[in-house]
Amino acid sequence: MTEYRAEKERWMVIEEREMERIHAVLGEFLKLSGAKCALLIDKDGYLITKHGGQSSFHDDTISALVAGSFAATKEMARLLGEEEFSVLYHQGRHENIQLTLVGDRVLLTVIFDEQTTLGMIRLYAKEAAMKLAEVMAAASAPAGAGSARLGQGFSASAKDKLDSLFQ
Amino acid sequence: MVQINFARKEINCKIVYYGPGMSGKTTNLEIIHKKTPDENKGELTCIATEGDRTLFFDFMPLNLGNIMGMNTKFQLYTVPGQVYYNSTRKLVLRGADGIIFVADSAPDKMDENLESLRNLEENLREYGRDAQDMPIVIQFNKRDLPEAVPLGELQEKLNPRKIPTFEAVAKSGDGVFQTLKALAGLVIENLNRTTRKEKGTRATESLEPAPGSGRRIVTADSPPEVESSGQSGGGRIPARRPIPVSATANAEAPVNSPARRRGVAGRPALQQDAVRSSGANAGAERAELTAPVRVPSPRVSPAPDRKISRDLSAAPRRGMTVLLVVLGIVVAAAAVFFVSRG
């Protein structure tokens, strides 16, 4: 119960400054590990950002599935008496995905192929996750944070868009 | 929870379709996917069993487009409705910003509807959230069933809090977009309300009542309308509460049934005579816009903070008491010592 309450009313607000730091960490990680692509995904299923090679997949879809996959294993972990697993790995014939928990709310998702090894990914992903956790802690904010900057007319404009889309 | 990504100029909100098994949640999503322009939608992803029942969730990103410089997206999810999938249902509910409860109008589904509503409130509570503080609408689906439960009875049993409701025949598309539009509007309104709160102004709903409707404008300055009952979901609604809204599902052009048809027999058109509010399209639109928007109850969310502040103020008092007792003992001991020495 307490754990769930900690999730309450926390929005994620990401500024340019934090994004620059995130990309610096991800860029270094890709260079060292030899991975193709790294995505930072909110546990709620939103993509925060992506760094690295062109991908054929749809970002929103892969984000939702990654978050869903992680959430499902969290239940598995609970059955084993663990709070959650901190690393997940899916191996394909050519492409592989590794998920590393960053802090308590974000997943570092790494896509890699035969050009590198799982050991290299694990080693550098752990380092990157520690650095990213510091950055992401600053992005977690109380509900409402940042929304003032959206402007007074945001709601009316959004409703106009809804009207035109669903007319 | 809402994500505002200023760096990517993007806002993300999560909407979850909830309800009992086979009530039409996935069908809603399929219709939305089918009728939304390509530039506004992503793939519809279904994680289903071989029997075509939702196993984990269905997912579809809906992009509203650029709004004042921010690309605004809704991520639409459905949950598996079957009772025994509760753990996965709860996982999908995590971080939801708005909920569409899809109820089944079949008479033999009433118990399942009620159980699913109870389950929704329970799962929200486990995340420390209150159904009364969230944007939620109810969709009464399968209104084309010949034996469909009358609207009044559905309202009475499933909607004691008088939240906005919509009739629908999801398989033909009737009422699907009206429901989503209303909920999306509430989610955006919620975001906007928070904006005004953050600026230090009182939240005031700008929605105007329909002329002569007798509905009052809901404001945060107004006294809470839902009486405290001491338990979530048990609030009674006083008489001055805005009238329950039942928006008419406009007669849209029937669309071909999606591949995942649920085999619901029924008439092609919506039963217009079952609609309580004005049957005109304009009336339905107005009904949506004047739907009662819940203002977060001040008695619920601040509770943890209040508890913390009480605990903090109690700590110095406890310290003072201990100090006084210790001082008393020292003084008494000194007195006994001096008296005994003469």
Side-chain angles (χ1 to χ4, degrees):
Chain A
M1 195 70 172
T2 310
E3 178 205 347
Y4 288 126
R5 283 198 178 277
E7 294 167 357
K8 188 184 175 187
E9 303 294 338
R10 300 302 289 182
W11 284 14
M12 183 165 285
V13 181
I14 297 141
E15 307 283 354
E16 285 283 357
R17 182 182 61 249
E18 283 143 8
M19 192 60 88
E20 283 171 15
R21 290 176 64 195
I22 290 168
H23 276 278
V25 174
L26 293 181
E28 189 187 2
F29 164 71
L30 289 186
K31 206 166 88 179
L32 292 169
S33 67
K36 288 164 64 179
C37 180
L39 301 96
L40 213 53
I41 294 169
D42 189 316
K43 272 187 187 174
D44 290 346
Y46 308 134
L47 176 71
I48 295 167
T49 193
K50 184 172 76 171
H51 195 101
Q54 296 298 314
S55 51
S56 54
F57 50 79
H58 194 283
D59 292 343
D60 287 328
T61 306
I62 195 94
S63 302
L65 291 172
V66 160
S69 164
F70 185 84
T73 62
K74 185 168 180 171
E75 285 302 299
M76 240 189 287
R78 278 187 183 162
L79 291 174
L80 299 180
E82 289 283 325
E83 187 186 328
E84 59 191 349
F85 296 126
S86 56
V87 177
L88 295 183
Y89 172 54
H90 302 292
Q91 183 173 358
R93 288 175 66 187
H94 303 292
E95 304 280 337
N96 315 292
I97 292 186
Q98 183 187 271
L99 315 181
T100 307
L101 187 62
V102 174
D104 61 354
R105 190 171 167 181
V106 177
L107 300 166
L108 170 60
T109 306
V110 185
I111 296 169
F112 63 101
D113 56 17
E114 304 95 331
Q115 302 297 315
T116 185
T117 62
L118 178 60
M120 291 284 278
I121 299 294
R122 288 221 166 139
L123 174 66
Y124 291 111
K126 194 174 174 184
E127 278 181 21
M130 286 166 69
K131 291 177 190 167
L132 289 168
E134 290 174 24
V135 183
M136 295 318 300
S140 180
S147 59
R149 285 161 53 195
L150 299 178
Q152 281 295 327
F154 181 84
S155 179
S157 299
K159 284 186 173 176
D160 287 346
K161 280 271 188 183
L162 281 170
D163 283 337
S164 62
L165 186 61
F166 297 150
Q167 63 187 352
Chain B
M1 293 294 172
V2 174
Q3 184 202 81
I4 304 180
N5 196 326
F6 286 110
R8 286 168 63 94
K9 302 202 180 312
E10 200 172 276
I11 296 176
N12 279 296
C13 303
K14 181 173 180 177
I15 290 176
V16 175
Y17 282 80
Y18 210 93
M22 302 287 280
S23 64
K25 301 175 291 296
T26 301
T27 309
N28 263 271
L29 222 57
E30 285 169 339
I31 291 290
I32 291 163
H33 190 259
K34 189 176 187 120
K35 299 180 85 174
T36 302
D38 286 346
E39 63 269 24
N40 293 101
K41 69 183 178 190
E43 292 173 40
L44 172 61
T45 306
C46 300
I47 305 178
T49 63
E50 282 185 23
D52 227 13
R53 306 287 294 272
T54 302
L55 175 63
F56 198 166
F57 59 78
D58 307 313
F59 168 75
M60 177 195 149
L62 180 73
N63 193 344
L64 216 54
N66 190 316
I67 298 170
M68 297 182 73
M70 299 294 279
N71 194 25
T72 305
K73 292 179 175 180
F74 291 105
Q75 318 283 11
L76 309 182
Y77 288 78
T78 69
V79 297
Q82 286 70 42
V83 174
Y84 43 86
Y85 285 147
N86 189 49
S87 59
T88 48
R89 195 159 47 239
K90 194 161 70 184
L91 293 174
V92 178
L93 200 58
R94 179 199 153 99
D97 298 301
I99 293 161
I100 293 172
F101 185 86
V102 183
D104 195 323
S105 295
D108 59 339
K109 296 286 184 179
M110 187 60 85
D111 286 346
E112 287 180 42
N113 288 330
L114 286 165
E115 174 55 33
S116 184
L117 266 177
R118 272 195 295 271
N119 176 256
L120 169 63
E121 293 199 350
E122 189 182 314
N123 281 341
L124 283 173
R125 260 201 306 276
E126 289 203 31
Y127 280 120
R129 305 181 74 184
D130 193 325
Q132 294 187 51
D133 292 343
M134 283 194 73
I136 300 178
V137 301
I138 299 177
Q139 180 187 82
F140 297 131
N141 193 22
K142 304 185 188 176
R143 296 306 298 156
D144 59 335
L145 289 177
E147 71 279 18
V149 176
L151 194 61
E153 190 180 337
L154 286 171
Q155 292 279 15
E156 186 187 330
K157 290 185 174 170
L158 302 178
N159 190 20
R161 292 212 308 271
K162 307 290 185 279
I163 60 178
T165 60
F166 297 86
E167 291 185 275
V169 182
K171 64 176 181 174
S172 66
D174 289 337
V176 168
F177 279 97
Q178 287 90 336
T179 312
L180 176 59
K181 189 169 132 186
L183 195 270
L186 288 177
V187 170
I188 287 169
E189 194 66 40
N190 213 29
L191 204 149
N192 197 47
R193 181 187 299 130
T194 317
T195 304
R196 279 174 289 190
K197 274 184 184 172
E198 194 188 21
K199 286 192 164 185
T201 57
R202 297 301 301 263
T204 303
E205 298 304 323
S206 57
L207 305 179
E208 291 182 7
S213 69
R215 295 181 182 127
R216 74 191 188 99
I217 300 172
V218 184
T219 71
D221 297 323
S222 313
E225 291 182 327
V226 179
E227 291 175 9
S228 173
S229 66
Q231 56 181 342
S232 175
R236 290 190 294 110
I237 313 297
R240 60 190 171 79
R241 181 89 182 171
I243 301 164
V245 174
S246 170
T248 309
N250 298 339
E252 294 178 22
V255 294
N256 294 330
S257 298
R260 294 179 45 144
R261 185 182 295 280
R262 298 296 162 86
V264 178
R267 299 194 299 274
L270 187 71
Q271 281 184 304
Q272 296 295 330
D273 58 352
V275 177
R276 280 171 52 176
S277 63
S278 150
N281 290 352
E285 290 295 306
R286 197 171 58 223
E288 283 177 21
L289 290 173
T290 52
V293 177
R294 292 176 310 290
V295 176
S297 167
R299 68 188 161 76
V300 178
S301 53
D305 294 341
R306 280 206 301 273
K307 186 174 185 306
I308 289 166
S309 63
R310 273 203 304 273
D311 290 348
L312 288 176
S313 62
R317 281 205 302 272
R318 277 199 298 273
M320 284 294 289
T321 309
V322 171
L323 192 64
L324 285 172
V325 169
V326 170
L327 272 174
I329 292 169
V330 168
V331 169
V336 169
F337 176 74
F338 286 120
V339 168
S340 64
R341 289 192 62 181

